[in-house]
Amino acid sequence: MIPLSSAKRIIIKLGTGILRTDEGLINDLCIEHLCKEIHQLKQKGIEVILVSSGAIGLGMSRLKINKRPTELKQLQACAAIGQSQLINLWQKKLDAYEITVGQILLTREDLDSSKRYTAVTNTIQQILESGAIPIVNENDTVSAEEIKFGDNDTLSAFVAKATESDLLLILSNIPGLMDTKNQNTIIHQVETINKDIESLATDTQKETSVGGMISKLSAAKIATEACCGVFIGSGNDTELFPKILKGESVGTYFKPACKRL
Ligand code: GLU
């Protein structure tokens, strides 16, 4: 059973692939549906932090670029252009529920330095206390290779750890961890992320996505070791949250490796 209703604080990580269609259009229906779910979770008293990808993808759309650039400065320009589109999009859609958003852009250095770490966690805490929701993304414009998280799966796991969240939901086009050695069935529950589990992961081939299951599993390892449960499932399933709340078998749930004191 995925402990969604008992969670006090959750992170929802959304991949570019569910915010933007393959043709480069904004996936309005999916975003509007997620906003409704976020509102309902907040109504239940659950604090929600979003980690939203999509800056590079929306920047590519705005600049009419179909192929993901390979040069860092081109990616950074797309991210700079797309990030403002992204945060405006979230605010516009969440206005329907009178939910305010606060933008947090992070680099790895921000969580490595204790002063900045404290500033980040205090700001997130304050945004939550004000009833708004923090929307986190990597600060791609200033992230050089050596200070990059590189993918938002990893970023979301570090945010889950820093904010002592109870549950991290990684939502993308991937419906869960597939048992590639056993007729491609979804593994619904993972007790421990061991070598056997890691051997099931593959990378992504999509233009705007990074990481695939490899980065999702490594994120799950970081978060579960920080006592946070992790769920990997399809962000396109409009019944996902009701199914989780009803205890139906959906996606993959990774149990936390410890209990927070
Ligand atoms: N920070 C990147 C963006 O907003 C996303 C990286 C990822 O999808 O993992 O486009």
Side-chain angles (χ1 to χ4, degrees), residues 13-16 52-58 68 79 83 86 137-140 148 150-153 155 208-211:
K13 186 265 165 182
L14 300 159
T16 304
S52 177
S53 299
I56 294 174
L58 294 193
R68 188 181 168 92
Q83 182 61 34
L86 183 65
N137 196 358
E138 178 151 21
N139 193 353
D140 292 305
K148 247 176 132 31
D151 63 78
N152 277 3
D153 298 322
L155 169 65
T208 51
S209 308
V210 275

Side-chain angles (χ1 to χ4, degrees), residues 2-233:
I2 304 151
L4 178 56
S5 51
S6 59
K8 291 193 176 64
R9 179 175 288 178
I10 67 165
I11 313 263
I12 305 179
K13 186 265 165 182
L14 300 159
T16 304
I18 56 167
L19 302 179
R20 178 187 182 269
T21 64
D22 285 344
E23 294 73 41
L25 302 172
I26 288 167
N27 196 344
D28 284 298
L29 276 181
C30 188
I31 298 174
E32 281 160 17
H33 177 74
L34 284 162
C35 290
K36 189 173 135 218
E37 296 297 352
I38 291 167
H39 169 66
Q40 284 178 357
L41 291 167
K42 276 175 64 57
Q43 295 282 90
K44 289 188 172 74
I46 300 171
E47 291 178 332
V48 180
I49 300 169
L50 278 190
V51 173
S52 177
S53 299
I56 294 174
L58 294 193
M60 281 167 58
S61 299
R62 185 78 186 189
L63 295 174
K64 303 195 169 41
I65 299 174
N66 298 326
K67 204 166 158 37
R68 188 181 168 92
T70 44
E71 243 192 296
L72 185 61
K73 63 184 181 195
Q74 283 181 311
L75 285 169
Q76 288 173 319
C78 283
I81 290 162
Q83 182 61 34
S84 59
Q85 311 275 316
L86 183 65
I87 205 76
N88 281 330
L89 176 65
W90 278 116
Q91 184 59 76
K92 206 169 97 208
K93 299 288 186 195
L94 284 163
D95 273 343
Y97 303 98
E98 296 182 9
I99 296 175
T100 300
V101 306
Q103 171 177 272
I104 310 263
L105 297 178
L106 296 178
T107 63
R108 198 178 263 273
E109 274 186 334
D110 297 327
L111 295 183
D112 286 347
S113 129
S114 70
K115 257 194 186 160
R116 292 198 206 176
Y117 181 96
T118 307
V120 170
T121 50
N122 283 347
T123 305
I124 291 179
Q125 179 67 31
Q126 204 56 49
I127 292 174
L128 291 169
E129 277 176 29
S130 72
I133 63 166
I135 303 192
V136 185
N137 196 358
E138 178 151 21
N139 193 353
D140 292 305
T141 322
V142 296
S143 289
E145 285 312 328
E146 64 279 13
I147 54 160
K148 247 176 132 31
F149 289 104
D151 63 78
N152 277 3
D153 298 322
T154 309
L155 169 65
S156 66
F158 279 109
V159 174
K161 188 173 170 181
T163 56
E164 299 193 347
S165 293
D166 305 305
L167 186 62
L168 163 64
L169 299 146
I170 300 182
L171 306 185
S172 70
N173 290 319
I174 302 176
L177 177 66
M178 308 302 267
D179 192 348
T180 42
K181 293 172 188 158
N182 182 20
Q183 298 175 340
N184 267 342
T185 46
I186 294 181
I187 299 177
H188 289 301
Q189 182 147 310
V190 173
E191 302 287 326
T192 319
I193 304 171
N194 54 26
K195 291 261 171 303
D196 285 346
I197 292 292
E198 280 169 341
S199 72
L200 300 171
T202 52
D203 216 342
T204 179
Q205 304 297 324
K206 291 195 87 166
E207 280 299 328
T208 51
S209 308
V210 275
M213 189 48 84
I214 294 181
S215 69
K216 289 182 177 44
L217 273 189
S218 107
K221 208 161 180 190
I222 295 165
T224 52
E225 282 170 7
C227 313
C228 175
V230 176
F231 171 80
I232 294 179

